[in-house]
Amino acid sequence: MTHLHILADQTVALPDAPYQALHFIDGVAQGSADGQVSERISPSHGVVVSRAALGSERETDAAIKAARAAFDDGRWSRLSGKARATVLTKVADLIEANVEKLALLETLESGKPIAQARGECGGAADLWRYAASLARTSHGDSHNTLGEDILAVVLKEPIGVVSIITPWNFPFWILSQKLPFALAAGCTCVVKPSEMTPSTTSMLAEFLMAAGLPAGVCNIVLGYGDPVGSMMSTHPDVDMVTFTGSTAVGKLITKCAGETLKKVALELGGKNPQVIFPNCDLEGAADAVTFGIYFNVGQCCNSSSRIIVHEDIVDDFVARVVALSRQVRFGNPLHEDTQVGAIVTPEHVVRIDGYVHDAVAAGAELCLGGGALDVPGLGRQFFQPTVLRGVTPDMAIAREEVFGPVLVVLTFRTLDEAIALCNDATYGLSAGIWCDDVHTCLDFSRRAAAGTIWTNTWMDGFPEVSFGGVKQSGQGREIGQYGFDEFLEVKSLVMRIGRTRAPWVKTA
Ligand code: NAD
């Protein structure tokens, strides 16, 4: 607990009043018919950040019907790629022009540092621009070698009405990994953000309107998983559900969507390992491990929450990570220099604490941290940077997603052992290796069961490079060409040239 780098004062002012977040249905920003609202209390500052309309089945049904009508009459799906790209690019410009407003709300609703929130909201504009480029370059295939009297083409068409359900940890970023790609494909959408972080999604409605997106093409309903999210997963007018969140809710959505055979794309949890070999850039690896576990207070599907370190260097490596952990700037998210902010809810602090407590009771050794962190003037909805070694692969803390700033250290002797430990998981989102031998890196990359492999880096990402998981980390891909293709349906068209078809009926 002692000798941590804690920033308590703040350099960015709190807003004067809570943000009023509204639904956006058929082009109209509106409250709920029954007047219900929910309040979000800031995890870091304890003030009411937003009052959000709380949707019911009535708003959800209206939003889905608006999206269905907008899709079926072709007001968006039959526009040229150029016309769609023009709107998406304007939205990107408006996002960039409003980064400060978005970032402040994102910080106060989620607890993440203001500098990080600016990076995510500003960076999201690039996802909109990239999706705009895909709208213009989308194409199918042609088959010109089927015989001189046959030509076949494979068309790509928008899949239809898409439900988009997002979590609280990267509200605007994850929204932007999905929505512009669905819109670029020509789909119409119903979006539900997490009930804990509704505001930046609600604010996006202003930009969509100003950019000229036709009414009904994107609808936003605020509220809880039940009834809003569950209706978005079961309604017969919805063709696809794309969801980012917990594995438990992902499974529930898959089950519900199965009733009407909707396509389902899922981005779920992870327990992502980094393997550390002695012959690597140990300084770079220690920094990447520190980043990988504390970024977003470890509340990140991609958090590298377990490291698998070669036995020969484990003492030295753990000492490096502990020393760096003390340097990371924890504390007030409204301080410009803060790198790690608050935990999303008080209940989640208790949950993280429970994992650490149980691991220590089972024999794990606490090298750093291990409990809530008191930030002067802001209270205890923060958690200390925590490193545990002496952890065995069967402990819950080594297998389950803790979703906090808690790193566990496992050890290995051979590459085979390291890969076996990596793959001994129900999750398979991402995995990394630090090693200067390219052959070892390649062997690892092919044998590790994960949707993304990083060699000698961690969490580098690009709109062009698709992202997603294997095993219980999800299905389908997001961003990149493959992410875009998720929103497209394939239609085959076979054409005969001339009256060359041989009759099937043998006439007398
Ligand atoms: P969550 O599953 O509790 O909630 C996610 C969303 O689902 C919210 O909008 C919620 O209201 C909604 N929801 C809840 N119940 C529902 C239901 N029955 N039907 C439909 N929707 C429902 O997840 P969370 O706590 O918001 O986010 C944390 C989880 O998200 C972690 O497990 C994390 O790993 C995962 N995550 C994954 C990725 C990825 O890309 N793989 C990215 C970020 C977060």
Side-chain angles (χ1 to χ4, degrees):
M1 171 62 207
T2 50
H3 309 303
L4 292 179
H5 199 138
I6 302 171
L7 299 174
D9 53 341
Q10 68 191 51
T11 43
V12 176
L14 285 166
D16 297 335
Y19 181 77
Q20 308 289 330
L22 297 171
H23 311 297
F24 182 58
I25 301 170
D26 211 7
V28 181
Q30 53 193 268
S32 293
D34 60 9
Q36 293 280 307
V37 291
S38 65
E39 283 188 342
R40 174 64 176 155
I41 311 276
S42 165
S44 50
H45 289 75
V47 298
V48 177
V49 189
S50 54
R51 291 206 173 86
L54 199 53
S56 66
E57 286 174 354
R58 180 174 170 156
E59 283 79 29
T60 315
D61 187 55
I64 293 170
K65 290 212 166 92
R68 183 79 257 165
F71 185 80
D72 291 347
D73 72 15
R75 73 187 80 160
W76 180 250
S77 56
R78 289 187 217 136
L79 287 189
S80 67
K82 180 179 173 180
R84 290 205 285 261
T86 303
V87 173
L88 297 181
T89 308
K90 279 187 193 155
V91 176
D93 293 342
L94 289 162
I95 291 170
E96 271 171 350
N98 288 279
V99 163
E100 281 306 314
K101 277 203 279 185
L102 289 165
L104 186 56
L105 283 172
E106 198 90 326
T107 289
L108 288 172
E109 283 187 341
S110 72
K112 67 178 68 208
I114 187 77
Q116 183 191 322
R118 280 192 200 112
E120 285 167 21
C121 296
D126 192 40
L127 291 168
W128 285 77
R129 290 217 169 83
Y130 173 68
S133 75
L134 293 172
R136 293 196 72 165
T137 51
S138 178
H139 60 83
D141 307 315
S142 63
H143 294 267
N144 200 25
T145 57
L146 303 175
E148 64 178 355
D149 56 348
I150 292 282
L151 177 63
V153 293
V154 178
L155 306 174
K156 289 193 179 168
E157 299 184 338
I159 201 163
V161 175
V162 179
S163 287
I164 297 177
I165 304 174
T166 58
W168 49 262
N169 55 350
F170 296 92
F172 201 72
W173 180 263
I174 289 174
L175 173 66
S176 301
Q177 290 202 141
K178 297 175 187 288
L179 178 60
F181 293 81
L183 294 176
C187 296
T188 61
C189 303
V190 180
V191 179
K192 189 197 94 62
S194 166
E195 58 277 13
M196 287 186 267
T197 53
S199 294
T200 53
T201 302
S202 170
M203 188 179 276
L204 180 71
E206 288 173 31
F207 312 153
L208 299 176
M209 270 193 284
L213 189 79
V217 173
C218 176
N219 305 273
I220 297 165
V221 185
L222 312 177
Y224 293 115
D226 183 19
V228 181
S230 50
M231 195 170 187
M232 288 166 66
S233 316
T234 49
H235 200 293
D237 281 345
V238 171
D239 299 297
M240 173 178 173
V241 185
T242 172
F243 168 80
T244 297
S246 59
T247 296
V249 174
K251 286 180 184 173
L252 193 61
I253 286 176
T254 307
K255 209 166 150 189
C256 295
E259 288 295 313
T260 44
L261 288 182
K262 301 181 199 318
K263 180 173 179 176
V264 177
L266 303 171
E267 301 292 341
L268 309 173
K271 190 75 190 175
N272 311 297
Q274 293 193 68
V275 174
I276 320 291
F277 275 82
N279 64 340
C280 78
D281 166 15
L282 287 172
E283 205 181 314
D287 184 79
V289 164
T290 308
F291 164 60
I293 189 58
Y294 303 129
F295 178 68
N296 218 47
V297 217
Q299 300 175 136
C300 193
C301 57
N302 250 335
S303 291
S304 173
S305 50
R306 56 187 178 125
I307 55 171
I308 303 169
V309 186
H310 195 279
E311 272 184 8
D312 290 352
I313 55 161
V314 67
D315 292 342
D316 170 57
F317 195 76
V318 170
R320 283 173 189 262
V321 172
V322 167
L324 286 178
S325 301
R326 295 186 196 280
Q327 299 297 315
V328 179
R329 287 163 290 183
F330 277 66
N332 189 336
L334 288 182
H335 190 298
E336 290 284 355
D337 295 335
T338 295
Q339 292 175 288
V340 184
I343 300 293
V344 70
T345 57
E347 296 75 28
H348 194 44
V349 176
V350 173
R351 192 168 168 264
I352 299 169
D353 204 46
Y355 271 110
V356 176
H357 184 269
D358 290 354
V360 172
E365 178 197 340
L366 203 52
C367 307
L368 180 71
L373 174 67
D374 202 350
V375 176
L378 295 183
R380 290 177 66 79
Q381 210 173 305
F382 295 81
F383 206 88
Q384 297 172 40
T386 298
V387 179
L388 286 153
R389 62 185 291 190
V391 170
T392 55
D394 56 317
M395 288 182 186
I397 204 161
R399 309 191 71 79
E400 295 172 18
E401 198 180 37
V402 175
F403 236 49
V406 178
L407 180 70
V408 301
V409 183
L410 302 164
T411 57
F412 76 96
R413 282 183 303 273
T414 65
L415 175 64
D416 283 350
E417 264 178 34
I419 292 173
L421 281 169
C422 261
N423 292 348
D424 179 23
T426 50
Y427 293 116
L429 191 58
S430 52
I433 180 167
W434 288 84
C435 180
D436 273 353
D437 174 24
V438 69
H439 304 287
T440 306
C441 288
L442 288 174
D443 200 9
F444 174 85
S445 302
R446 292 168 83 153
R447 291 165 62 196
T452 296
I453 309 289
W454 281 294
T455 72
N456 297 310
T457 187
W458 187 257
M459 243 195 291
D460 275 333
F462 304 89
E464 292 83 351
V465 183
S466 293
F467 176 73
V470 301
K471 300 203 266 184
Q472 294 192 27
S473 286
Q475 59 192 33
R477 288 295 175 266
E478 212 147 81
I479 66 173
Q481 184 67 48
Y482 294 101
F484 177 59
D485 285 346
E486 296 284 343
F487 298 109
L488 292 166
E489 194 61 271
V490 162
K491 181 186 276 178
S492 300
L493 170 59
V494 180
M495 298 168 281
R496 192 165 280 276
I497 302 163
R499 297 184 180 184
T500 60
R501 183 176 171 278
W504 182 68
V505 180
K506 307 289 178 222
T507 47

